[in-house]
Amino acid sequence: MASGTSFLAPRDLSGISIPDMLRSEGTSFSFEFFPPKNDESEQVLWEAIRHLEKKRPSFVSVTYGAGGSTRDRTVRVTRRIAEETTLLPMAHLTCVASSRAELRSVVGAYADAGIRNVMVLRGDPAGGLGSPWVAHPEGLDHADQLVSLVRPLGGFTVGVAAFPDKHPESASLEQDADVLVAKQRAGADFAVTQMVFDVDNYLRLRDMVAARGGTLPIIPGLMPITSAKQITRMAELSGAALPVALTSRLEAVGDDADAVREVGVEIATEHASRLMAEGAPGLHFYTMNRSTATLEVFANLGH
């Protein structure tokens, strides 16, 4: 498969707003990728993009690497998605190791590509989780400050992160709800959560935000589990504890890799079905640059 060959004709998506899409589509479906580190992994990424493109997702996004790395590659891949596919890209932007001027430059690159939807995050400390956060001397400390920086530039709609299992640096879920409302007041239009391992936790955060007057849509994030090692690592990176209801089902199949994957797809399907029934505005799938497991979940949902 040639990575630059589109199966569907590119279309102008520059005027489409994710918040407007959420209001008009019912449940949205979106996918997240991470930037490739080399030519081989870039080929894998584009194969996944082309497979998932056929499902006509509401939007897709490309992350920064850990600690703000791969920024330039993220911008390049996001721009290429905008120019060569039928997909609506949501750009990523973090405060990590960037001055205000550098952040404005990245936003300008996105605007030049016709991208108008941006996910803004403080980002993980450069030293990784557990390391102290150190802002760039001419940069920003918090995501709400980045929202305020991006908002006036180029007519963007702005997404922010939400943490259903509590942010690793937060004192409580109540504080997380307060922070999310503060992000909305700074100009955020919608939120996407870290991976939801417990649907009740997502619902609790959503209701706490609503009780504080927050109205921004909160899209839950999901990732079909394809290996026990992978999900443990992702939980560590997000700072979330895996619920016993999930780990017990994985442990029951032991080291059988195919069975772990099958159970992982079942769990993602169950979570997706319940989230839709509970009125979640969308489902955001963390694909790990692979398409098969996500497509299986889609098939199980009737898509």
Side-chain angles (χ1 to χ4, degrees):
M1 180 185 305
S3 61
T5 302
S6 178
F7 297 106
L8 301 168
R11 54 197 172 116
D12 180 13
L13 298 171
S14 57
I16 297 180
S17 153
I18 289 175
D20 288 344
M21 185 180 291
L22 294 175
R23 283 188 286 268
S24 63
E25 283 195 359
T27 304
S28 72
F29 295 94
S30 51
F31 306 127
E32 185 158 303
F33 308 102
F34 60 85
K37 295 181 179 180
N38 53 46
D39 291 345
E40 182 180 357
S41 58
E42 183 155 354
Q43 179 71 15
V44 172
L45 165 64
W46 279 93
E47 287 176 359
I49 287 173
R50 293 308 187 187
H51 281 299
L52 292 169
E53 181 180 16
K54 298 173 185 177
K55 292 299 178 181
R56 296 289 190 181
S58 305
F59 63 92
V60 298
S61 64
V62 183
T63 69
Y64 275 23
S69 62
T70 69
R71 181 182 70 184
D72 293 343
R73 195 180 291 267
T74 295
V75 174
R76 179 173 62 80
V77 171
T78 306
R79 180 172 191 138
R80 187 176 169 193
I81 289 172
E83 294 175 345
E84 298 183 19
T85 77
T86 63
L87 299 167
L88 175 67
M90 176 178 69
H92 272 231
L93 188 67
T94 79
C95 301
V96 180
S98 296
S99 67
R100 290 175 174 83
E102 288 170 331
L103 292 167
R104 291 190 182 97
S105 176
V106 174
V107 172
Y110 286 141
D112 288 345
I115 297 166
R116 289 294 181 271
N117 297 281
V118 180
M119 168 63 66
V120 307
L121 315 107
R122 189 204 68 176
D124 296 331
L129 284 177
S131 303
W133 167 260
V134 179
H136 186 286
E138 299 173 5
L140 303 172
D141 268 312
H142 301 289
D144 59 343
Q145 297 170 343
L146 187 52
V147 173
S148 297
L149 181 146
V150 171
R151 192 69 208 190
L153 303 175
F156 290 93
T157 56
V158 179
V160 293
F163 299 86
D165 298 300
K166 192 175 79 61
H167 189 283
E169 298 173 21
S170 176
S172 65
L173 196 60
E174 287 78 10
Q175 182 180 0
D176 283 339
D178 291 338
V179 168
L180 197 49
V181 172
K183 291 177 184 178
Q184 179 178 344
R185 289 172 179 160
D189 298 287
F190 63 98
V192 179
T193 76
Q194 293 286 345
M195 284 172 286
V196 172
F197 299 116
D198 186 328
V199 173
D200 287 336
N201 288 354
Y202 164 81
L203 297 173
R204 187 176 301 115
L205 176 64
R206 181 194 66 179
D207 293 346
M208 289 170 65
V209 170
R212 286 161 170 74
T215 58
L216 79 174
I218 303 174
I219 303 170
L222 295 170
M223 186 178 79
I225 299 168
T226 56
S227 79
K229 181 178 178 181
Q230 176 194 61
I231 198 65
T232 299
R233 177 58 178 159
M234 295 305 294
E236 290 173 353
L237 290 173
S238 67
L242 294 174
V244 174
L246 186 151
T247 57
S248 61
R249 291 173 67 177
L250 295 173
E251 291 167 359
V253 297
D255 297 327
D256 185 333
D258 291 339
V260 167
R261 188 183 182 284
E262 183 177 348
V263 170
V265 170
E266 287 177 0
I267 292 171
T269 302
E270 291 165 10
H271 286 180
S273 297
R274 186 177 172 206
L275 286 163
M276 292 170 66
E278 292 282 0
L283 300 172
H284 187 70
F285 288 90
Y286 296 98
T287 69
M288 303 303 294
N289 290 11
R290 304 282 179 174
S291 62
T292 308
T294 300
L295 289 173
E296 287 179 26
V297 175
F298 260 56
N300 292 341
L301 295 173
H303 291 273

